[in-house]
Amino acid sequence: MFKYICILLAVIATEVIAKSMFPMPRLPNSCSQISVRRDIISLPQDELLRFIRVVREMHRRGWMDGFGSMHDHISHQIHGNEQFFAWHRRFLRHFEILMQEIDPGVMLPYWNWGTYWQSPVADPVLTGAYFGGNGRPGDNCVVEGAQARWGRNYPTRNCLTRRFRYGATTGAFWPMRAVRDVMNTAKTHAQFRSRIENGAHGIVHLGLGGDFETMYAPVDVLFFMHHAMIDKIWAEWQSRDPLRYRNVDGYDSQRIPVTANSLMPFYSEEVGTALATNGPGYCYVYDDVPAAPSGAMFRTSRRANFAAFKAAVNNTSEQQAPEAVADSDDATDVPAGNEFHVKHAFNDTMDFRPPSPMSTEWLRGRHMDVAEAARMQALVNNVVAQINTERRQQRAAAAAAAV
């Protein structure tokens, strides 16, 4: 009992310290406008450069370390249970609001890793034109792109690292067809969360490796774009049934049932307040996902939760938008890809490969469900086999037509 009391006190102390030292801007009570989050590949160059400038400033202020520390210290409360989706949506909004303290016109983009799922190393996002790829041999430091030679001070002083799963490559991610299979078959929040967290979500963290596969992964800006993609997937699943904007089921890390009235760790706001992206305080939609109807949204009886913390940042909208970055690794325009048709670096006659299974040790170390991960591995294997069969049939039909 004494051991558990000590752990509880340590968690409480961590939250008190974090809330007193880390910027905690309040969520607005309403939305003056609804903004759009878009695929980072689709951003015009000037918008991309503004985003890069903002996240570099956040890094300079030490905020990336703060996000990494917060996520790490309560990791067991926000993974492997029904706090996962809502808490990370709130976390992303926290990040986005701080971005907008620096440049009010910047929105958090998402990284659609499904476009290059078969060969992620071919994805422009993982090149020097965007946010860099693998760490360099020896120390795994990221030395190209917008985060080139970034340092971090949490959990120890080091460079920002990535260490691809197979040395020079990440291995395959999930194709969007497999993600939509989950969307089509999961009927409850608990089912959908478990299948996405233990499948499409986890394989990206494992593939990039280094800091990205740790619980302090938010020291890397790619974490927020990856989780914006996960948030977008959740938003699309929610859009298929209005009840999903109000209802949550399943359990938290202590096996207490989670409802819309349950409080999110650290933020102490109701889960229900995070169920609609265009709800009060969130005020965004994704570029190709329908917005939640106003009549379907959860209505909180505790509006004071929105003003739980005072804004700790004085840099507000009075600041002018930052100028475009002039570094040699500035991004260039790259056309957006169709998420249903993979872009890859292989001969078109080769079969696609499914992602390799995540190890039991790796999964357990991240509060994930080993049995669910195995079920999701079987699902993605089957989907990739279907894709390969269809591609062979298409090649055969094309060959026959050419005769």
Side-chain angles (χ1 to χ4, degrees):
M1 177 63 71
F2 179 74
K3 173 183 177 182
Y4 292 108
I5 292 174
C6 289
I7 292 173
L8 177 61
L9 291 174
V11 170
I12 292 172
T14 297
E15 293 197 12
V16 169
I17 293 170
K19 288 174 181 175
S20 64
M21 299 177 63
F22 189 64
M24 288 293 301
R26 71 173 67 183
L27 287 172
N29 289 329
S30 60
C31 299
S32 58
Q33 66 177 23
I34 302 297
S35 301
V36 180
R37 288 184 183 173
R38 290 180 286 167
D39 187 337
I40 188 168
I41 293 294
S42 73
L43 295 184
Q45 188 177 34
D46 62 330
E47 292 185 28
L48 174 63
L49 296 181
R50 286 174 68 182
F51 174 62
I52 290 174
R53 179 66 175 267
V54 166
V55 296
R56 284 176 169 169
E57 175 62 15
M58 293 175 76
H59 174 259
R60 186 191 69 79
R61 297 182 186 188
W63 293 353
M64 302 306 297
D65 290 329
F67 280 112
S69 174
M70 183 201 304
H71 187 271
D72 187 31
H73 279 102
I74 60 171
S75 62
H76 65 289
Q77 298 179 62
I78 57 176
H79 295 92
N81 65 77
E82 303 325 309
Q83 289 282 356
F84 176 77
F85 275 139
W87 190 91
H88 281 88
R89 178 170 286 176
R90 178 63 177 90
F91 191 56
L92 297 188
R93 187 63 180 130
H94 184 171
F95 182 84
E96 189 170 60
I97 290 173
L98 289 190
M99 285 174 48
Q100 292 163 350
E101 294 281 355
I102 299 169
D103 181 351
V106 171
M107 289 292 294
L108 174 65
Y110 63 88
W111 170 33
N112 186 353
W113 32 254
T115 305
Y116 291 85
W117 69 269
Q118 181 62 191
S119 182
V121 293
D123 193 327
V125 175
L126 297 181
T127 69
Y130 283 81
F131 285 87
N134 205 5
R136 68 186 171 194
D139 58 12
N140 302 311
C141 295
V142 175
V143 294
E144 61 176 355
Q147 299 179 102
R149 296 176 174 81
W150 271 23
R152 60 162 170 77
N153 293 304
Y154 183 87
T156 59
R157 191 178 182 88
N158 195 15
C159 60
L160 177 69
T161 69
R162 296 195 198 120
R163 184 180 182 182
F164 285 178
R165 186 179 184 184
Y166 298 109
T169 66
T170 61
F173 294 159
W174 269 44
M176 285 306 297
R177 185 187 295 189
V179 172
R180 290 207 159 83
D181 265 17
V182 173
M183 288 187 186
N184 293 336
T185 57
K187 303 304 180 185
T188 69
H189 179 277
Q191 288 176 345
F192 188 68
R193 188 278 310 165
S194 182
R195 294 172 189 181
I196 293 299
E197 182 181 6
N198 293 288
H201 157 261
I203 201 68
V204 177
H205 281 285
L206 176 59
L208 295 188
D211 292 339
F212 210 80
E213 64 173 330
T214 71
M215 285 302 176
Y216 53 87
V219 297
D220 190 331
V221 175
L222 272 181
F223 172 94
F224 293 92
M225 291 185 283
H226 167 44
H227 271 269
M229 180 65 176
I230 297 299
D231 185 61
K232 175 180 179 289
I233 289 168
W234 181 33
E236 183 173 340
W237 180 79
Q238 289 179 295
S239 72
R240 300 182 179 198
D241 183 346
L243 291 178
R244 293 170 181 172
Y245 296 115
R246 295 184 180 183
N247 297 337
V248 182
D249 62 294
Y251 298 89
D252 67 12
S253 60
Q254 298 179 7
R255 299 299 297 169
I256 297 171
V258 173
T259 70
N261 296 110
S262 300
L263 298 182
M264 291 183 280
F266 190 87
Y267 295 109
S268 298
E269 297 163 1
E270 291 169 291
V271 166
T273 62
L275 294 183
T277 67
N278 56 322
Y282 290 81
C283 312
Y284 70 91
V285 293
Y286 288 99
D287 50 7
D288 60 356
V289 177
S294 59
M297 293 183 193
F298 169 81
R299 303 295 179 186
T300 179
S301 59
R302 288 182 280 178
R303 299 298 301 163
N305 286 334
F306 278 122
F309 308 107
K310 291 184 178 180
V313 183
N314 294 322
N315 319 42
T316 63
S317 57
E318 295 177 3
Q319 286 188 284
Q320 296 182 349
E323 299 176 357
V325 182
D327 292 9
S328 60
D329 57 13
D330 279 351
T332 56
D333 287 317
V334 182
N338 185 322
E339 63 182 8
F340 294 104
H341 297 90
V342 65
K343 297 187 176 183
H344 56 89
F346 297 103
N347 186 302
D348 199 47
T349 62
M350 295 174 63
D351 279 350
F352 291 151
R353 297 189 297 270
S356 298
M358 296 177 280
S359 73
T360 297
E361 181 182 5
W362 190 88
L363 291 164
R364 287 178 175 164
R366 287 148 187 85
H367 319 294
M368 295 169 72
D369 187 328
V370 174
E372 186 73 278
R375 288 189 289 269
M376 291 304 95
Q377 185 66 46
L379 181 148
V380 74
N381 287 349
N382 183 56
V383 169
V384 174
Q386 292 172 0
I387 293 172
N388 286 331
T389 297
E390 292 169 9
R391 295 176 73 243
R392 292 189 208 107
Q393 292 170 346
Q394 291 170 357
R395 290 195 297 267
V403 174

